[in-house]
Amino acid sequence: MKIKEAIKIINSTKMVRAGLGKEEIYFYADGVDRSDYFLVMPQKANNWDNVEEDFEALYSITPKDLARVMDVIQRLLDTPVNERFPEKKYRLRWIDDQGHYKNYLNLNSNGAWVFVDDEIDAEIFTESGLEQLKKDNPHLAPAIDAMKEEVKGDED
């Protein structure tokens, strides 16, 4: 389970909210500040010993919503730490841009490389996808590393 997915599930409950800190996930009653949390979990926690509780801050949270939080935390704890975070995404930008256009490389349906001149039309590769591409085409690995441009602001 990804952290963003966990927060979305919690925020869909009636009485509980989840908020993301720099390194923690806060669980708190709806309508109060996240500093008044009843549970806080480090994003990289690997067991319940790392989860801090303050059950005086439960207020009027229903047992059903509390059970949902506990289930989501357990699912996060069961997920390897490196899988909780979104995978970085990249475009392959050709180094020799022409004029004011940026040139990007795509793989077409026939497996041939083609140019597109707009990043919106450029294929987006995940880190693991690029690693597989380099593994399948080791002679292209240095070029792929030189051309990869991180996609910023992607929420997936």
Side-chain angles (χ1 to χ4, degrees):
M1 167 177 279
K2 302 259 188 250
I3 290 175
K4 287 183 180 182
E5 178 187 0
I7 290 173
K8 185 176 180 179
I9 291 169
I10 297 303
N11 289 339
S12 71
T13 66
K14 290 183 180 181
M15 304 297 297
V16 180
R17 296 293 167 256
L20 196 56
K22 185 175 181 180
E23 296 181 8
E24 304 86 12
I25 307 168
Y26 295 89
F27 302 91
Y28 50 96
D30 186 30
V32 301
D33 186 74
R34 81 172 180 198
S35 64
D36 199 10
Y37 60 84
F38 62 89
L39 290 171
V40 63
M41 173 189 170
Q43 293 180 32
K44 296 182 179 182
N46 56 16
N47 61 56
W48 279 98
D49 292 338
N50 302 121
V51 179
E52 183 182 327
E53 75 278 337
D54 179 5
F55 291 127
E56 291 180 11
L58 281 173
Y59 303 111
S60 59
I61 294 172
T62 65
K64 180 180 176 182
D65 285 347
L66 180 58
R68 170 65 67 173
V69 170
M70 304 298 263
D71 175 60
V72 167
I73 290 174
Q74 185 61 56
R75 288 168 56 192
L76 279 171
L77 292 172
D78 290 342
T79 302
V81 171
N82 62 335
E83 293 177 19
R84 295 179 195 170
F85 302 94
E87 192 172 15
K88 288 186 178 180
K89 296 181 181 178
Y90 300 91
R91 294 182 189 94
L92 294 179
R93 182 173 175 191
W94 183 246
I95 298 161
D96 188 20
D97 290 344
Q98 298 295 320
H100 65 280
Y101 292 103
K102 295 179 180 181
N103 292 314
Y104 293 92
L105 286 175
N106 277 1
L107 277 173
N108 71 14
S109 60
N110 296 327
W113 290 98
V114 295
F115 286 104
V116 294
D117 63 3
D118 192 339
E119 67 184 31
I120 294 170
D121 297 327
E123 184 171 347
I124 295 177
F125 298 88
T126 62
E127 182 76 41
S128 59
L130 285 180
E131 290 304 313
Q132 186 62 47
L133 189 61
K134 291 190 306 189
K135 190 176 181 182
D136 294 344
N137 303 279
H139 60 285
L140 295 177
I144 291 169
D145 286 335
M147 291 186 293
K148 72 182 190 180
E149 176 181 272
E150 189 173 353
V151 175
K152 297 290 184 184
D154 190 52
E155 292 298 319
D156 291 343

